[in-house]
Amino acid sequence: MSTEKTGGFTGEGGGGGLLSGLGIQGAQESRESTAGTFNAVRSDDLEGKVALVTGGGNGIGAGVARRLAGGGARLVLADIDDVAGAKLADELGATYVHCDVSRLEDSEAAVATAVERYGRLDLAFLNAGIATGFGLGEDFDVRRYRRAMGVNLDGVVFGMHAAIPALRAAGGGTIVATASMAGIVGIPSDPVYAANKHAVVGLVRSLAEDLRPHGIKVQGLCPSFADTAILGEGKAVLEQFGFPILDVSSVVDTFVQLLDSDGTGECWFVIPGRESQPFAFRRAPGPRT
């Protein structure tokens, strides 16, 4: 488990979180940062809980949706793949909504659907993502860049912005954002993907303490290469070099683990052959005086 404090610009004056992030934290701030009780969703208490899953029609989103539904949760599945999303929603007795997460109004509408249909929101799994596969040289494409950032980063920002009021109204809850190991290590072959996933990791770590007093837990899910459509042609390349590819079930198992963790602001890695756990970020060095 990471021992590093996370935080952002919070409270009057806005400097406390920044100082904490730099390794400077007074005793009073330390006591306050551990205050508050999460009203988080746990895997053994899913009955009647309401969850929104973006990218819910396929891959990791679909796997998590099945696990949540199996525990008795009520689901809103959000996707742009209307055929797959509607089919899975019918299978699980869930609600499907068309949602382009790069549009704030779509994320707001998805959250509103959960509240209107089921009366509340307890869990937001912000999972929608797309591959990029280009660099900053001659292959750079500004249209594809904007789309990748819109889905992979804006989709998480907009999803959190839309979900937080509903979670607060419910007395707290859980937000899980799918990042990637590309959010923890550099990816020379796909710097744009790494950039937006690093941003998601930073967002998770920075929001955690702000949301703690409201009973909201924020976690990041950071899988290695998983057997989903996002791999595209890259799957054959990975197989050619003998690089192990995760089963979706392994990622879903880690999702359950991070639900049951008592922490917040954690980024759980999922790597073949290793036990999943929160990545232990080093504290940043503070200034010398």
Side-chain angles (χ1 to χ4, degrees):
M1 180 178 295
S2 171
T3 58
E4 176 172 284
K5 289 292 180 183
T6 55
F9 287 97
T10 60
E12 295 294 331
L18 175 61
L19 295 181
S20 174
L22 291 175
I24 305 169
Q25 185 175 42
Q28 179 64 28
E29 182 185 351
S30 179
R31 287 193 296 270
E32 291 175 351
S33 71
T34 59
T37 301
F38 295 128
N39 186 24
V41 176
R42 302 186 69 89
S43 66
D44 60 354
D45 187 26
L46 292 174
E47 188 68 39
K49 295 295 191 295
V50 180
L52 167 66
V53 181
T54 69
N58 300 278
I60 295 169
V64 165
R66 287 190 170 94
R67 186 72 63 92
L68 293 173
R74 297 173 291 177
L75 301 177
V76 173
L77 305 183
D79 210 312
I80 59 171
D81 186 342
D82 295 333
V83 173
K87 181 180 179 181
L88 182 60
D90 184 63
E91 172 192 329
L92 301 180
T95 298
Y96 173 73
V97 293
H98 180 91
C99 178
D100 178 349
V101 297
S102 69
R103 295 167 50 89
L104 174 59
E105 56 268 36
D106 280 20
S107 290
E108 291 175 333
V111 170
T113 295
V115 174
E116 292 166 4
R117 181 71 184 269
Y118 301 115
R120 59 188 292 124
L121 180 68
D122 301 290
L123 167 64
F125 180 33
L126 307 176
N127 168 72
I130 60 173
T132 49
F134 58 91
L136 301 184
E138 294 181 358
D139 61 340
F140 181 71
D141 183 326
V142 68
R143 182 188 61 82
R144 291 170 62 201
Y145 167 76
R146 294 295 183 197
R147 181 61 179 164
M149 297 302 284
V151 174
N152 295 341
L153 176 55
D154 293 350
V156 176
V157 172
F158 294 161
M160 288 183 175
H161 176 71
I164 286 169
L167 294 171
R168 289 186 63 176
T174 300
I175 298 172
V176 180
T178 299
S180 168
M181 281 302 296
I184 295 175
V185 300
I187 306 294
S189 62
D190 201 341
V192 171
Y193 188 76
N196 52 54
K197 292 303 184 179
H198 269 72
V200 171
V201 166
L203 188 65
V204 166
R205 298 178 68 210
S206 299
L207 277 176
E209 296 304 329
D210 270 356
L211 295 180
R212 181 192 289 269
H214 304 292
I216 300 172
K217 181 169 74 172
V218 187
Q219 300 283 62
L221 181 63
C222 299
S224 177
F225 298 106
D227 192 8
T228 68
I230 200 170
L231 284 184
E233 297 177 357
K235 180 178 180 179
V237 176
L238 292 171
E239 291 175 336
Q240 178 183 349
F241 286 96
F243 194 95
I245 298 174
L246 289 166
D247 291 331
V248 168
S249 61
S250 298
V251 185
V252 176
D253 288 343
T254 301
F255 176 89
V256 171
Q257 287 182 266
L258 64 81
L259 282 189
D260 293 341
S261 168
D262 291 330
T264 187
E266 299 170 332
C267 295
W268 285 66
F269 62 78
V270 195
I271 300 173
R274 291 185 176 271
E275 181 180 352
S276 293
Q277 57 186 294
F279 183 75
F281 293 93
R282 294 184 62 182
R283 292 182 69 103
R288 289 180 175 175
T289 59

